[in-house]
Amino acid sequence: MHGRRRLGDGHGCGAAAASSSPRGARPRGKLVLWAAAAASRRRGALLVAPLLYLALMLVMVGRWEWDLEPPVPVRVGVAILRRAPPPGSVYRSPQVFHELWAFMQADVNHSSALMTAWHQKATQKWKPCLPKRLLQAELPPSNGYLIIEANGGLNQQRMSICDAVAVAGLLNATLVIPIFHFNSVWRDSSKFEDIFDEEYFTETLKNHVRVVKELPPEILQRFDNNISNILNLRSKALSSKTYYLQKVLPKLLELGAVRIAPFSNRLAHSVPSSIQGLRCLTNYEALRFSKPIRSLAERMVHRMINNSSINGGKYISVHLRFEEDMVAFSCCTYDGGQQEKNEMDKARERSWRGKFRRPGRVISPEANRRNGKCPLTPLEVGMMLRGMGFGNTTSVYVASGKIYNAEKYMAPLRQLFPLLETKETLGSADELAPFKGHSSQLAALDYTVCAHSEVFVTTQGGNFPHFLMGHRRYLNEGHSKTINPDKKKLVLSFNNPNIRWDKFKRNMQEVLHHSDLKGITLRKPDASLYTFPMPDCMCQQAQA
């Protein structure tokens, strides 16, 4: 009975075999029964062992998921195991939106969010001012003519012009109205007077720097009437005051005219206050848009204010960088599958010809997203703003180029913010017709509408938001009133479909609070006054 009892603790089939053993073979039968029990226990152990091994791996290695083609597979039987990507690696925003949409609709969003987004103490207020050293009785005789060539888009051109005025002041040179280089990317043939008010520019600077429309004939004759024959001094990026005084000035005095082309980002951030003052004066006062741009832009701003009457005329502007070339350059992946991959591969090859296929180059879309390098989608911008408390009655202006797969990606943003406008919806076809094909002029319209919004949202960096943040500080007593999200943190909230609405809101409101704290920031030595105009271009009101 003892033997039967032990087998019964096994799998049951051994007990049936023992009951049929002949009586005369009992001692030998006991041995057989003992061996059978041991074997049974070993079989059980063999069956349990893989399960124990798998459980141990789950504990030691972390979360895992099944996949057919993992980058580093580990075989367990016939299945393939790979580690799940770290949080924030995968574009899951549509799934998060699907789970949170009902809560967004049920939430009572107060229109006061626009009124309470920013907090600025009286002691933190600044006002525009020019350094006293900039003021002088009259200009000394000119040392010669400075010719520069500006390239890139609107705000890269703007930087070149401001730096050129500063260099001309440093060298006591006469500045020739800058030439705009026809860029193969921007493909804009606009001249200076098409974008900026040339007469106003010259008049504003007349007591500080001489400006002429073109090189005088007698000077041009020295170079066989060909501007290309004028010595081109190819200065390095962020060249110092010393470089211009020691290398450029002697040639200017010798030849009577010099060229610097290309001239983009060619002057150091930190220069004497009198030179910084010229940058301030040029960027924030002298560079007024041309009358056609100004006229339409003012009408567009007025229309946005009228559309926002429910919120006291206040609206949000968003610089949305989700054009095809930006998505392609970022090397990020979204939810378009193989079609998206094919389109991005073609776009990269079309614009950068093999740059992304060089041997040894490693592209990791998952790492790019975790590191905050992926452009925010329109959906993500909308979710972020709703989480911050901006309701569906908020007017939103989107400044952008042609959005990639716009029908798909813009739809959820319109769902979240029905009062959404772009320059194409604010301006009529007839009003926009003169600017078609001129990217810098169209960008100037966007720039103006964004400059006058109560809240500005930047999503991917670049010259446009950097200049705009500086201009908004200049207009808003030192506060940029700009939401500049930390996308490394943002993607974590967009990664979790199980996140609660109240938790999501807290995360977004922390982003807003952080942007508020960073709204008033003084320029550091290695930073640009085009983004941080204090203290070079502005004075604290109590000290003014």
Side-chain angles (χ1 to χ4, degrees):
M1 293 297 295
H2 180 68
R4 289 172 183 260
R5 215 177 287 122
R6 290 185 64 181
L7 283 173
D9 294 339
H11 294 283
C13 58
S19 63
S20 61
S21 298
R23 183 181 297 271
R26 185 167 298 234
R28 189 173 178 180
K30 287 184 177 180
L31 182 62
V32 171
L33 289 173
W34 178 86
S40 176
R41 284 197 298 273
R42 284 184 186 139
R43 282 197 302 272
L46 289 173
L47 290 171
V48 172
L51 297 176
L52 291 174
Y53 174 72
L54 180 58
L56 182 62
M57 289 188 65
L58 287 170
V59 172
M60 294 181 65
V61 180
R63 292 190 308 113
W64 299 73
E65 67 180 13
W66 301 102
D67 204 330
L68 294 177
E69 297 180 1
V72 185
V74 179
R75 293 187 176 275
V76 180
V78 295
I80 298 177
L81 196 67
R82 83 172 176 101
R83 188 173 183 176
S89 301
V90 180
Y91 179 66
R92 294 195 176 103
S93 301
Q95 294 94 308
V96 177
F97 175 58
H98 177 75
E99 296 298 326
L100 294 183
W101 174 232
F103 298 97
M104 292 181 184
Q105 290 177 298
D107 199 357
V108 178
N109 286 295
H110 301 288
S111 59
S112 61
L114 272 170
M115 315 296 180
T116 60
W118 312 118
H119 305 85
Q120 185 175 8
K121 298 177 182 178
T123 55
Q124 295 178 313
K125 293 185 178 180
W126 295 68
K127 74 174 186 178
C129 66
L130 294 174
K132 293 180 179 179
R133 293 181 186 178
L134 188 59
L135 305 175
Q136 53 185 334
E138 60 180 285
L139 292 173
S142 174
N143 288 329
Y145 292 88
L146 174 65
I147 303 159
I148 69 105
E149 186 177 288
N151 57 353
L154 172 67
N155 292 288
Q156 196 169 340
Q157 293 168 339
R158 193 180 192 102
M159 182 192 303
S160 299
I161 296 165
C162 296
D163 286 354
V165 171
V167 170
L170 175 64
L171 302 177
N172 186 32
T174 299
L175 177 66
V176 178
I177 287 289
I179 301 166
F180 287 175
H181 173 68
F182 182 81
N183 188 283
S184 59
V185 175
W186 300 102
R187 306 189 68 81
D188 187 346
S189 60
S190 299
K191 296 181 173 58
F192 186 100
E193 65 268 22
D194 297 322
I195 302 173
F196 300 106
D197 188 330
E198 188 175 302
E199 183 178 345
Y200 184 81
F201 176 77
T202 304
E203 180 67 20
T204 304
L205 295 174
K206 70 178 182 181
N207 295 326
H208 311 284
V209 173
R210 294 181 180 87
V211 180
V212 296
K213 186 174 181 62
E214 54 190 17
L215 207 59
E218 63 273 17
I219 301 296
L220 193 56
Q221 285 174 5
R222 298 182 194 174
F223 304 96
D224 297 329
N225 294 309
N226 187 346
I227 201 170
S228 297
N229 292 333
I230 299 175
L231 177 66
N232 184 14
L233 299 170
R234 295 183 176 274
S235 60
K236 295 180 180 179
L238 301 175
S239 293
S240 67
K241 166 192 170 183
T242 302
Y243 167 82
Y244 285 101
L245 291 177
Q246 293 184 356
K247 300 295 184 180
V248 179
L249 182 57
K251 290 296 182 182
L252 180 68
L253 292 169
E254 176 189 346
L255 302 172
V258 295
R259 281 193 307 139
I260 305 179
F263 190 81
S264 176
N265 208 27
R266 291 300 189 267
L267 181 62
H269 292 310
S270 293
V271 293
S273 61
S274 59
I275 306 304
Q276 293 288 52
L278 287 173
R279 278 171 155 169
C280 299
L281 177 64
T282 306
N283 187 50
Y284 298 114
E285 300 293 342
L287 278 179
R288 185 172 76 175
F289 289 128
S290 64
K291 188 174 180 179
I293 292 173
R294 221 164 54 244
S295 177
L296 177 55
E298 288 171 359
R299 293 198 299 274
M300 291 168 66
V301 170
H302 185 68
R303 290 165 190 169
M304 281 303 300
I305 292 172
N306 285 345
N307 292 348
S308 311
S309 58
I310 192 173
N311 291 311
K314 299 179 184 295
Y315 61 92
I316 294 175
S317 62
V318 178
H319 183 225
L320 188 58
R321 293 308 315 270
F322 204 70
E323 302 91 345
E324 184 179 70
D325 62 336
M326 178 56 67
V327 177
F329 187 79
S330 72
C331 294
C332 298
T333 56
Y334 294 90
D335 58 347
Q338 188 62 41
Q339 180 179 348
E340 176 191 309
K341 182 183 183 305
N342 295 340
E343 290 170 349
M344 293 301 104
D345 286 344
K346 289 178 182 177
R348 280 189 282 269
E349 189 62 25
R350 183 170 59 247
S351 297
W352 295 284
R353 306 205 176 217
K355 176 180 179 179
F356 295 91
R357 294 186 289 101
R358 291 173 184 167
R361 176 153 191 162
V362 177
I363 296 174
S364 174
E366 292 182 349
N368 288 349
R369 184 164 178 82
R370 286 196 308 275
N371 293 331
K373 296 180 180 179
C374 292
L376 293 180
T377 64
L379 169 62
E380 290 171 329
V381 173
M383 291 171 65
M384 178 183 73
L385 291 174
R386 287 295 288 267
M388 290 175 176
F390 300 104
N392 62 1
T393 61
T394 305
S395 292
V396 175
Y397 179 84
V398 173
S400 71
K402 184 179 179 182
I403 298 298
Y404 169 64
N405 202 349
E407 185 176 351
K408 169 185 174 180
Y409 284 109
M410 287 298 289
L413 180 57
R414 292 187 184 278
Q415 182 180 347
L416 286 161
F417 291 97
L419 302 180
L420 187 145
E421 302 282 0
T422 65
K423 55 182 170 289
E424 288 80 13
T425 61
L426 272 186
S428 69
D430 289 341
E431 287 175 318
L432 292 170
F435 308 105
K436 290 294 185 184
H438 300 287
S439 59
S440 290
Q441 296 180 49
L442 291 169
L445 296 173
D446 279 338
Y447 190 97
T448 305
V449 180
C450 291
H452 290 89
S453 64
E454 177 64 16
V455 175
F456 172 62
V457 182
T458 174
T459 63
Q460 189 63 13
N463 285 325
F464 186 98
H466 290 163
F467 269 79
L468 197 52
M469 288 170 69
H471 221 126
R472 289 172 62 82
R473 287 188 167 105
Y474 195 78
L475 294 172
N476 296 315
E477 300 181 318
H479 201 303
S480 68
K481 296 189 175 183
T482 297
I483 296 171
N484 188 9
D486 181 346
K487 290 191 286 184
K488 289 182 182 179
K489 295 180 179 178
L490 205 60
V491 295
L492 297 177
S493 295
F494 293 147
N495 180 78
N496 180 13
N498 297 318
I499 191 170
R500 294 172 59 90
W501 173 233
D502 56 351
K503 172 63 174 173
F504 185 86
K505 285 199 300 181
R506 283 199 302 273
N507 293 350
M508 298 305 106
Q509 285 159 9
E510 285 177 11
V511 172
L512 178 59
H513 178 64
H514 186 263
S515 294
D516 187 21
L517 294 177
K518 291 290 186 180
I520 299 174
T521 305
L522 303 187
R523 187 183 72 84
K524 296 178 181 179
D526 60 345
S528 167
L529 65 70
Y530 304 126
T531 305
F532 305 100
M534 297 99 74
D536 302 276
C537 311
M538 304 182 75
C539 307
Q540 279 191 281
Q541 289 195 12
Q543 300 174 359

